[in-house]
Each structure stands twice: as structure tokens, then as C-alpha cells.
Amino acid sequence: SCPYCVHVYRVIDKLEIDHIIEHRLTKYGNDWRADLRNRTGSTQVPCLFIDGEEMFESEDIIDWLHQNYS
């Protein structure tokens, strides 16, 4: 339901890399949400982990995806 996540997902679909990106739903009460908070101190989405480092901003994520998968 997050519009920023939808934007990132559309790029993932366009680049046809959905099979290499692990998707995690972080709804309230979800174990993935707790994991995200434990790892980053935040539940902000979208979040992409690259070599263990988090990237939060959708435009930064999209730029990174294009640079690495286009």
C-alpha cells in the first residue's frame, strides 16, 4: 500500500529482477517488521539492503537498481 514501495516494485518488474530481490512484507505485528526495526532502528519502507547496508529512499533505490541491473 506504500506508494514509494509500489514505485520501486514497478522498476524491479520492469528490470525483470524480481527473482533476485527478496521481498518482505513489514505490516504491523509481522516478524519482518521487527527484523527491520532491529537491523535499522526504523520501520521505514522501502528499504533495500546492499551488502548489509540499508538504503531507504525510493529514488536512491531506483537509481541503484538501474545502475546495477540495466
Side-chain angles (χ1 to χ4, degrees):
S1 63
C2 164
Y4 301 105
C5 295
V6 170
H7 190 59
V8 170
Y9 281 133
R10 285 183 181 150
V11 171
I12 290 170
D13 287 341
K14 180 181 175 186
L15 294 173
E16 298 179 348
I17 57 172
D18 57 326
H19 62 287
I20 60 172
I21 303 290
E22 182 178 352
H23 302 264
R24 294 181 175 185
L25 297 176
T26 58
K27 293 182 178 185
Y28 290 100
N30 183 301
D31 288 340
W32 292 125
R33 184 180 182 88
D35 181 62
L36 182 60
R37 178 171 293 172
N38 289 337
R39 291 175 73 180
T40 68
S42 173
T43 57
Q44 179 181 335
V45 291
C47 178
L48 176 67
F49 285 95
I50 306 160
D51 297 326
E53 295 295 319
E54 68 271 2
M55 181 181 293
F56 287 107
E57 296 300 321
S58 60
E59 291 303 319
D60 293 340
I61 292 170
I62 289 167
D63 289 344
W64 188 90
L65 292 171
H66 278 295
Q67 289 172 10
N68 289 276
Y69 294 104
S70 287

